mmCIF file of all heavy atoms in Angstrom:
data_model
loop_
_atom_site.group_PDB
_atom_site.id
_atom_site.type_symbol
_atom_site.label_atom_id
_atom_site.label_comp_id
_atom_site.label_asym_id
_atom_site.label_seq_id
_atom_site.Cartn_x
_atom_site.Cartn_y
_atom_site.Cartn_z
ATOM 1 N N PHE A 1384 144.636 -24.805 30.171
ATOM 2 C CA PHE A 1384 143.343 -24.452 29.590
ATOM 3 C C PHE A 1384 142.974 -25.408 28.460
ATOM 4 O O PHE A 1384 141.851 -25.886 28.311
ATOM 5 C CB PHE A 1384 143.399 -22.954 29.046
ATOM 6 C CG PHE A 1384 142.092 -22.634 28.452
ATOM 7 C CD1 PHE A 1384 140.959 -22.371 29.264
ATOM 8 C CD2 PHE A 1384 141.958 -22.572 27.049
ATOM 9 C CE1 PHE A 1384 139.707 -22.059 28.632
ATOM 10 C CE2 PHE A 1384 140.699 -22.265 26.494
ATOM 11 C CZ PHE A 1384 139.589 -21.979 27.317
ATOM 12 N N GLU A 1427 126.950 -23.251 30.170
ATOM 13 C CA GLU A 1427 127.921 -22.300 30.699
ATOM 14 C C GLU A 1427 129.390 -22.628 30.167
ATOM 15 O O GLU A 1427 130.098 -21.746 29.749
ATOM 16 C CB GLU A 1427 127.928 -22.308 32.181
ATOM 17 C CG GLU A 1427 128.842 -21.159 32.713
ATOM 18 C CD GLU A 1427 128.422 -19.747 32.427
ATOM 19 O OE1 GLU A 1427 127.191 -19.500 32.393
ATOM 20 O OE2 GLU A 1427 129.193 -18.908 32.308
ATOM 21 N N PHE A 1428 129.663 -23.869 30.265
ATOM 22 C CA PHE A 1428 131.009 -24.300 29.784
ATOM 23 C C PHE A 1428 131.221 -24.054 28.318
ATOM 24 O O PHE A 1428 132.248 -23.591 27.881
ATOM 25 C CB PHE A 1428 131.307 -25.739 30.130
ATOM 26 C CG PHE A 1428 132.760 -26.182 29.840
ATOM 27 C CD1 PHE A 1428 133.748 -26.076 30.890
ATOM 28 C CD2 PHE A 1428 133.095 -26.592 28.635
ATOM 29 C CE1 PHE A 1428 135.075 -26.309 30.558
ATOM 30 C CE2 PHE A 1428 134.368 -26.956 28.318
ATOM 31 C CZ PHE A 1428 135.424 -26.824 29.325
ATOM 32 N N GLY A 1429 130.167 -24.500 27.520
ATOM 33 C CA GLY A 1429 130.303 -24.315 26.092
ATOM 34 C C GLY A 1429 130.456 -22.856 25.652
ATOM 35 O O GLY A 1429 131.356 -22.609 24.870
ATOM 36 N N ARG A 1430 129.634 -21.981 26.274
ATOM 37 C CA ARG A 1430 129.758 -20.570 25.935
ATOM 38 C C ARG A 1430 131.189 -20.014 26.324
ATOM 39 O O ARG A 1430 131.819 -19.288 25.516
ATOM 40 C CB ARG A 1430 128.708 -19.805 26.608
ATOM 41 C CG ARG A 1430 127.301 -19.969 26.201
ATOM 42 C CD ARG A 1430 126.288 -18.891 26.624
ATOM 43 N NE ARG A 1430 126.438 -18.681 28.118
ATOM 44 C CZ ARG A 1430 125.613 -19.236 29.032
ATOM 45 N NH1 ARG A 1430 124.749 -20.152 28.608
ATOM 46 N NH2 ARG A 1430 125.811 -18.939 30.168
ATOM 47 N N SER A 1431 131.518 -20.277 27.577
ATOM 48 C CA SER A 1431 132.808 -19.777 28.055
ATOM 49 C C SER A 1431 134.002 -20.258 27.319
ATOM 50 O O SER A 1431 134.996 -19.495 26.992
ATOM 51 C CB SER A 1431 132.967 -20.047 29.568
ATOM 52 O OG SER A 1431 131.864 -19.419 30.317
ATOM 53 N N THR A 1432 133.988 -21.617 27.023
ATOM 54 C CA THR A 1432 135.235 -22.076 26.347
ATOM 55 C C THR A 1432 135.288 -21.509 24.942
ATOM 56 O O THR A 1432 136.431 -21.133 24.545
ATOM 57 C CB THR A 1432 135.076 -23.665 26.210
ATOM 58 O OG1 THR A 1432 134.964 -24.255 27.533
ATOM 59 C CG2 THR A 1432 136.250 -24.303 25.588
ATOM 60 N N PHE A 1433 134.246 -21.474 24.280
ATOM 61 C CA PHE A 1433 134.261 -20.937 22.931
ATOM 62 C C PHE A 1433 134.771 -19.459 22.910
ATOM 63 O O PHE A 1433 135.659 -19.029 22.102
ATOM 64 C CB PHE A 1433 132.927 -21.003 22.264
ATOM 65 C CG PHE A 1433 132.751 -20.418 20.817
ATOM 66 C CD1 PHE A 1433 133.286 -21.264 19.722
ATOM 67 C CD2 PHE A 1433 132.498 -19.186 20.554
ATOM 68 C CE1 PHE A 1433 133.295 -20.751 18.482
ATOM 69 C CE2 PHE A 1433 132.458 -18.624 19.277
ATOM 70 C CZ PHE A 1433 132.830 -19.462 18.200
ATOM 71 N N ARG A 1434 134.249 -18.660 23.756
ATOM 72 C CA ARG A 1434 134.546 -17.264 23.817
ATOM 73 C C ARG A 1434 136.085 -17.024 24.234
ATOM 74 O O ARG A 1434 136.889 -16.238 23.624
ATOM 75 C CB ARG A 1434 133.710 -16.507 24.847
ATOM 76 C CG ARG A 1434 132.309 -16.225 24.303
ATOM 77 C CD ARG A 1434 131.377 -15.652 25.286
ATOM 78 N NE ARG A 1434 130.043 -15.385 24.781
ATOM 79 C CZ ARG A 1434 129.004 -15.057 25.577
ATOM 80 N NH1 ARG A 1434 129.129 -14.988 26.876
ATOM 81 N NH2 ARG A 1434 127.892 -14.740 24.997
ATOM 82 N N ILE A 1435 136.553 -17.823 25.128
ATOM 83 C CA ILE A 1435 137.993 -17.745 25.590
ATOM 84 C C ILE A 1435 138.896 -18.146 24.466
ATOM 85 O O ILE A 1435 139.876 -17.478 24.202
ATOM 86 C CB ILE A 1435 138.222 -18.564 26.857
ATOM 87 C CG1 ILE A 1435 137.413 -17.942 28.034
ATOM 88 C CG2 ILE A 1435 139.724 -18.674 27.041
ATOM 89 C CD1 ILE A 1435 137.484 -18.922 29.322
ATOM 90 N N CYS A 1436 138.531 -19.174 23.805
ATOM 91 C CA CYS A 1436 139.431 -19.700 22.724
ATOM 92 C C CYS A 1436 139.500 -18.733 21.471
ATOM 93 O O CYS A 1436 140.491 -18.453 20.997
ATOM 94 C CB CYS A 1436 138.968 -21.070 22.257
ATOM 95 S SG CYS A 1436 139.393 -22.537 23.306
ATOM 96 N N VAL A 1437 138.333 -18.061 21.157
ATOM 97 C CA VAL A 1437 138.317 -17.081 20.095
ATOM 98 C C VAL A 1437 139.062 -15.848 20.602
ATOM 99 O O VAL A 1437 139.807 -15.341 19.802
ATOM 100 C CB VAL A 1437 136.830 -16.701 19.771
ATOM 101 C CG1 VAL A 1437 136.835 -15.576 18.848
ATOM 102 C CG2 VAL A 1437 136.133 -17.906 19.154
ATOM 103 N N ALA A 1438 138.928 -15.481 21.817
ATOM 104 C CA ALA A 1438 139.641 -14.228 22.271
ATOM 105 C C ALA A 1438 141.129 -14.494 22.197
ATOM 106 O O ALA A 1438 141.890 -13.525 22.046
ATOM 107 C CB ALA A 1438 139.149 -13.869 23.676
ATOM 108 N N GLU A 1439 141.609 -15.632 22.551
ATOM 109 C CA GLU A 1439 143.034 -15.912 22.659
ATOM 110 C C GLU A 1439 143.664 -16.487 21.389
ATOM 111 O O GLU A 1439 144.843 -16.644 21.379
ATOM 112 C CB GLU A 1439 143.248 -16.871 23.915
ATOM 113 C CG GLU A 1439 142.812 -16.465 25.195
ATOM 114 C CD GLU A 1439 143.526 -15.143 25.755
ATOM 115 O OE1 GLU A 1439 144.582 -14.895 25.329
ATOM 116 O OE2 GLU A 1439 142.888 -14.409 26.431
ATOM 117 N N SER A 1440 142.856 -16.760 20.395
ATOM 118 C CA SER A 1440 143.385 -17.523 19.238
ATOM 119 C C SER A 1440 144.317 -16.670 18.461
ATOM 120 O O SER A 1440 145.323 -17.264 17.849
ATOM 121 C CB SER A 1440 142.308 -18.018 18.345
ATOM 122 O OG SER A 1440 141.523 -16.879 17.863
ATOM 123 N N PHE A 1450 141.607 -26.552 20.499
ATOM 124 C CA PHE A 1450 140.182 -26.473 20.801
ATOM 125 C C PHE A 1450 139.388 -26.977 19.558
ATOM 126 O O PHE A 1450 138.429 -27.761 19.761
ATOM 127 C CB PHE A 1450 139.676 -25.004 21.141
ATOM 128 C CG PHE A 1450 138.251 -24.932 21.350
ATOM 129 C CD1 PHE A 1450 137.614 -25.619 22.371
ATOM 130 C CD2 PHE A 1450 137.361 -24.299 20.430
ATOM 131 C CE1 PHE A 1450 136.189 -25.493 22.576
ATOM 132 C CE2 PHE A 1450 135.982 -24.234 20.581
ATOM 133 C CZ PHE A 1450 135.437 -24.897 21.594
ATOM 134 N N PHE A 1496 123.703 -19.986 17.850
ATOM 135 C CA PHE A 1496 125.131 -19.486 17.640
ATOM 136 C C PHE A 1496 125.354 -17.953 17.598
ATOM 137 O O PHE A 1496 126.020 -17.368 18.348
ATOM 138 C CB PHE A 1496 125.829 -20.124 16.476
ATOM 139 C CG PHE A 1496 127.274 -19.943 16.375
ATOM 140 C CD1 PHE A 1496 128.165 -20.524 17.213
ATOM 141 C CD2 PHE A 1496 127.807 -19.048 15.417
ATOM 142 C CE1 PHE A 1496 129.490 -20.297 17.127
ATOM 143 C CE2 PHE A 1496 129.151 -18.807 15.310
ATOM 144 C CZ PHE A 1496 129.959 -19.468 16.188
ATOM 145 N N PRO A 1497 124.652 -17.265 16.679
ATOM 146 C CA PRO A 1497 124.840 -15.842 16.659
ATOM 147 C C PRO A 1497 124.302 -15.050 17.912
ATOM 148 O O PRO A 1497 125.007 -14.164 18.328
ATOM 149 C CB PRO A 1497 124.070 -15.360 15.382
ATOM 150 C CG PRO A 1497 123.069 -16.469 15.172
ATOM 151 C CD PRO A 1497 123.753 -17.727 15.583
ATOM 152 N N CYS A 1498 123.228 -15.563 18.483
ATOM 153 C CA CYS A 1498 122.661 -14.883 19.637
ATOM 154 C C CYS A 1498 123.698 -15.064 20.843
ATOM 155 O O CYS A 1498 123.891 -14.100 21.686
ATOM 156 C CB CYS A 1498 121.356 -15.394 20.037
ATOM 157 S SG CYS A 1498 120.067 -14.943 18.888
ATOM 158 N N LEU A 1499 124.305 -16.287 21.023
ATOM 159 C CA LEU A 1499 125.195 -16.464 22.072
ATOM 160 C C LEU A 1499 126.529 -15.733 21.860
ATOM 161 O O LEU A 1499 127.032 -15.096 22.790
ATOM 162 C CB LEU A 1499 125.477 -17.943 22.221
ATOM 163 C CG LEU A 1499 124.318 -18.715 22.849
ATOM 164 C CD1 LEU A 1499 124.705 -20.312 22.986
ATOM 165 C CD2 LEU A 1499 123.861 -18.363 24.192
ATOM 166 N N CYS A 1500 127.068 -15.689 20.709
ATOM 167 C CA CYS A 1500 128.267 -15.040 20.362
ATOM 168 C C CYS A 1500 128.120 -13.558 20.666
ATOM 169 O O CYS A 1500 129.121 -12.871 21.176
ATOM 170 C CB CYS A 1500 128.780 -15.201 19.004
ATOM 171 S SG CYS A 1500 129.398 -16.915 18.661
ATOM 172 N N LEU A 1501 127.022 -12.896 20.340
ATOM 173 C CA LEU A 1501 126.828 -11.497 20.486
ATOM 174 C C LEU A 1501 126.306 -11.114 21.837
ATOM 175 O O LEU A 1501 125.991 -9.966 22.083
ATOM 176 C CB LEU A 1501 125.970 -11.009 19.282
ATOM 177 C CG LEU A 1501 126.618 -11.158 17.927
ATOM 178 C CD1 LEU A 1501 125.557 -10.773 16.870
ATOM 179 C CD2 LEU A 1501 127.907 -10.358 17.779
ATOM 180 N N GLY A 1502 125.946 -12.045 22.645
ATOM 181 C CA GLY A 1502 125.408 -11.784 23.933
ATOM 182 C C GLY A 1502 124.002 -11.334 23.957
ATOM 183 O O GLY A 1502 123.461 -10.823 24.930
ATOM 184 N N VAL A 1503 123.289 -11.675 22.832
ATOM 185 C CA VAL A 1503 121.870 -11.251 22.758
ATOM 186 C C VAL A 1503 121.026 -12.087 23.693
ATOM 187 O O VAL A 1503 120.038 -11.642 24.261
ATOM 188 C CB VAL A 1503 121.351 -11.486 21.298
ATOM 189 C CG1 VAL A 1503 119.941 -11.152 21.215
ATOM 190 C CG2 VAL A 1503 122.107 -10.488 20.348
ATOM 191 N N ARG A 1504 121.345 -13.447 23.828
ATOM 192 C CA ARG A 1504 120.628 -14.295 24.708
ATOM 193 C C ARG A 1504 121.713 -15.209 25.437
ATOM 194 O O ARG A 1504 122.841 -15.424 25.013
ATOM 195 C CB ARG A 1504 119.758 -15.261 23.899
ATOM 196 C CG ARG A 1504 118.612 -14.549 23.219
ATOM 197 C CD ARG A 1504 117.603 -15.556 22.597
ATOM 198 N NE ARG A 1504 116.961 -16.314 23.611
ATOM 199 C CZ ARG A 1504 116.020 -17.181 23.375
ATOM 200 N NH1 ARG A 1504 115.649 -17.345 22.057
ATOM 201 N NH2 ARG A 1504 115.502 -17.965 24.289
ATOM 202 N N ARG A 1505 121.233 -15.751 26.647
ATOM 203 C CA ARG A 1505 122.021 -16.655 27.456
ATOM 204 C C ARG A 1505 121.309 -17.916 27.602
ATOM 205 O O ARG A 1505 121.988 -18.974 27.732
ATOM 206 C CB ARG A 1505 122.440 -16.028 28.758
ATOM 207 C CG ARG A 1505 123.344 -14.869 28.607
ATOM 208 C CD ARG A 1505 123.684 -14.269 30.081
ATOM 209 N NE ARG A 1505 124.333 -15.275 30.953
ATOM 210 C CZ ARG A 1505 125.634 -15.528 30.993
ATOM 211 N NH1 ARG A 1505 126.403 -14.893 30.235
ATOM 212 N NH2 ARG A 1505 126.124 -16.458 31.789
#
Side-chain angles (χ1 to χ4, degrees):
F1384 177 76
E1427 183 66 32
F1428 186 90
R1430 293 197 308 267
S1431 299
T1432 303
F1433 180 81
R1434 286 174 176 167
I1435 293 170
C1436 284
V1437 170
E1439 301 296 335
S1440 61
F1450 177 68
F1496 188 72
C1498 289
L1499 290 180
C1500 286
L1501 298 174
V1503 176
R1504 297 187 61 177
R1505 291 180 60 86

